[in-house]
Amino acid sequence: MERGRLWAICGLTARNVYLREFVAADLDVLHSLAWQPEIYDYLPGWNVPKEQWTDWFVNSEMPENAEFLKAVSDGGGDVGELRLRIEINQKETEELIGWCCIGGKSAGKAKRGVVITLH
Protein backbone atom coordinates (compact mmCIF):
# COMPACT_ATOMS: atom_id res chain seq x y z
CA MET A 1 0.00 0.00 0.00
CA GLU A 2 1.70 3.20 -1.22
CA ARG A 3 0.73 5.99 1.11
CA GLY A 4 3.25 8.72 0.31
CA ARG A 5 3.77 12.18 1.83
CA LEU A 6 0.12 12.73 2.72
CA TRP A 7 0.22 9.70 5.00
CA ALA A 8 3.47 10.88 6.57
CA ILE A 9 1.97 14.31 7.28
CA CYS A 10 -1.58 13.43 8.25
CA GLY A 11 -2.03 9.65 8.53
CA LEU A 12 -5.52 9.86 7.03
CA THR A 13 -7.26 6.52 7.41
CA ALA A 14 -10.58 5.09 8.51
CA ARG A 15 -11.96 1.60 9.04
CA ASN A 16 -12.56 0.83 5.35
CA VAL A 17 -10.72 3.53 3.40
CA TYR A 18 -7.47 5.46 3.34
CA LEU A 19 -6.59 8.73 1.63
CA ARG A 20 -3.46 9.41 -0.36
CA GLU A 21 -2.19 12.04 -2.72
CA PHE A 22 -2.79 11.53 -6.43
CA VAL A 23 -0.29 9.24 -8.14
CA ALA A 24 0.33 9.18 -11.89
CA ALA A 25 -0.49 5.46 -12.10
CA ASP A 26 -4.13 6.26 -11.24
CA LEU A 27 -4.79 8.75 -14.04
CA ASP A 28 -6.88 6.27 -16.05
CA VAL A 29 -9.10 5.39 -13.10
CA LEU A 30 -9.62 9.02 -12.11
CA HIS A 31 -10.47 9.95 -15.69
CA SER A 32 -13.01 7.12 -15.96
CA LEU A 33 -14.64 8.18 -12.68
CA ALA A 34 -15.07 11.71 -14.02
CA TRP A 35 -17.08 10.31 -16.94
CA GLN A 36 -19.69 8.65 -14.71
CA PRO A 37 -23.01 10.55 -14.97
CA GLU A 38 -23.37 10.60 -11.19
CA ILE A 39 -20.15 12.61 -11.08
CA TYR A 40 -20.28 14.88 -14.11
CA ASP A 41 -23.86 15.88 -13.32
CA TYR A 42 -22.44 17.60 -10.21
CA LEU A 43 -19.02 18.52 -11.60
CA PRO A 44 -19.70 19.81 -15.11
CA GLY A 45 -16.55 20.32 -17.09
CA TRP A 46 -14.69 17.44 -15.47
CA ASN A 47 -15.68 14.93 -18.17
CA VAL A 48 -13.14 16.08 -20.71
CA PRO A 49 -11.00 14.04 -23.11
CA LYS A 50 -8.18 12.04 -21.54
CA GLU A 51 -5.55 14.32 -23.11
CA GLN A 52 -7.01 17.32 -21.22
CA TRP A 53 -7.21 15.31 -17.99
CA THR A 54 -3.59 14.26 -18.44
CA ASP A 55 -2.54 17.89 -18.90
CA TRP A 56 -4.47 19.00 -15.79
CA PHE A 57 -3.23 16.07 -13.76
CA VAL A 58 0.46 16.34 -14.64
CA ASN A 59 0.85 20.11 -15.02
CA SER A 60 -1.59 21.45 -12.44
CA GLU A 61 -3.02 19.03 -9.91
CA MET A 62 0.07 17.05 -8.96
CA PRO A 63 2.36 20.13 -8.68
CA GLU A 64 -0.26 22.06 -6.67
CA ASN A 65 -0.70 19.06 -4.35
CA ALA A 66 3.06 19.03 -3.79
CA GLU A 67 3.01 22.77 -2.95
CA PHE A 68 0.08 22.29 -0.55
CA LEU A 69 1.76 19.37 1.24
CA LYS A 70 5.06 21.28 1.45
CA ALA A 71 3.29 24.27 3.02
CA VAL A 72 1.66 22.02 5.60
CA SER A 73 4.78 19.94 6.34
CA ASP A 74 6.96 23.06 6.75
CA GLY A 75 4.92 23.85 9.84
CA GLY A 76 3.56 27.19 8.73
CA GLY A 77 0.36 25.69 7.44
CA ASP A 78 -0.38 28.72 5.24
CA VAL A 79 -1.77 27.13 2.10
CA GLY A 80 -3.19 30.38 0.76
CA GLU A 81 -5.29 29.65 -2.32
CA LEU A 82 -3.71 26.25 -2.93
CA ARG A 83 -5.99 23.24 -3.36
CA LEU A 84 -5.39 19.66 -2.31
CA ARG A 85 -6.82 16.77 -4.30
CA ILE A 86 -6.51 13.33 -2.78
CA GLU A 87 -7.58 9.82 -3.66
CA ILE A 88 -9.98 7.72 -1.62
CA ASN A 89 -8.96 4.06 -1.67
CA GLN A 90 -10.75 1.00 -0.32
CA LYS A 91 -8.42 -0.67 2.21
CA GLU A 92 -9.24 -4.31 1.57
CA THR A 93 -8.87 -4.21 -2.21
CA GLU A 94 -6.78 -1.00 -2.51
CA GLU A 95 -9.20 0.04 -5.27
CA LEU A 96 -9.39 3.75 -5.99
CA ILE A 97 -13.05 4.55 -5.30
CA GLY A 98 -13.08 8.33 -5.48
CA TRP A 99 -11.38 11.58 -4.65
CA CYS A 100 -11.63 14.54 -2.32
CA CYS A 101 -10.76 18.13 -3.22
CA ILE A 102 -10.17 20.84 -0.63
CA GLY A 103 -9.74 24.39 -1.83
CA GLY A 104 -10.88 27.94 -2.23
CA LYS A 105 -14.38 28.63 -3.42
CA SER A 106 -15.90 31.63 -5.08
CA ALA A 107 -19.53 31.33 -3.91
CA GLY A 108 -20.94 31.69 -0.42
CA LYS A 109 -19.40 32.96 2.80
CA ALA A 110 -16.94 30.12 3.40
CA LYS A 111 -13.46 30.68 2.01
CA ARG A 112 -12.75 26.99 1.48
CA GLY A 113 -14.88 24.08 0.38
CA VAL A 114 -14.71 20.31 0.12
CA VAL A 115 -15.82 18.10 -2.76
CA ILE A 116 -16.04 14.35 -2.21
CA THR A 117 -16.64 12.04 -5.16
CA LEU A 118 -17.27 8.30 -4.68
CA HIS A 119 -18.39 5.57 -7.02
Side-chain angles (χ1 to χ4, degrees):
M1 178 183 325
E2 179 189 332
R3 293 183 174 152
R5 287 178 296 201
L6 182 65
W7 180 264
I9 295 168
C10 305
L12 299 172
T13 188
R15 182 175 46 203
N16 297 319
V17 298
Y18 65 94
L19 307 178
R20 73 172 181 198
E21 63 190 293
F22 281 176
V23 294
D26 291 329
L27 175 62
D28 289 339
V29 176
L30 290 164
H31 179 254
S32 69
L33 288 174
W35 277 88
Q36 293 181 7
E38 298 85 358
I39 293 175
Y40 69 71
D41 283 350
Y42 292 96
L43 297 171
W46 285 52
N47 59 332
V48 297
K50 187 173 177 187
E51 297 75 25
Q52 180 64 49
W53 247 89
T54 302
D55 180 56
W56 289 344
F57 194 79
V58 171
N59 297 313
S60 178
E61 294 180 8
M62 290 185 71
E64 189 170 24
N65 282 350
E67 289 179 51
F68 186 103
L69 293 171
K70 182 175 180 350
V72 171
S73 66
D74 285 349
D78 182 11
V79 296
E81 294 298 315
L82 294 171
R83 293 172 300 222
L84 177 65
R85 300 158 197 88
I86 51 181
E87 299 180 2
I88 303 170
N89 294 271
Q90 205 278 333
K91 273 186 182 177
E92 187 176 318
T93 64
E94 297 194 17
E95 175 189 12
L96 192 161
I97 59 172
W99 69 81
C100 176
C101 301
I102 304 162
K105 53 181 259 187
S106 57
K109 294 181 181 179
K111 292 182 181 181
R112 298 190 77 73
V114 176
V115 172
I116 298 174
T117 307
L118 295 171
H119 83 94

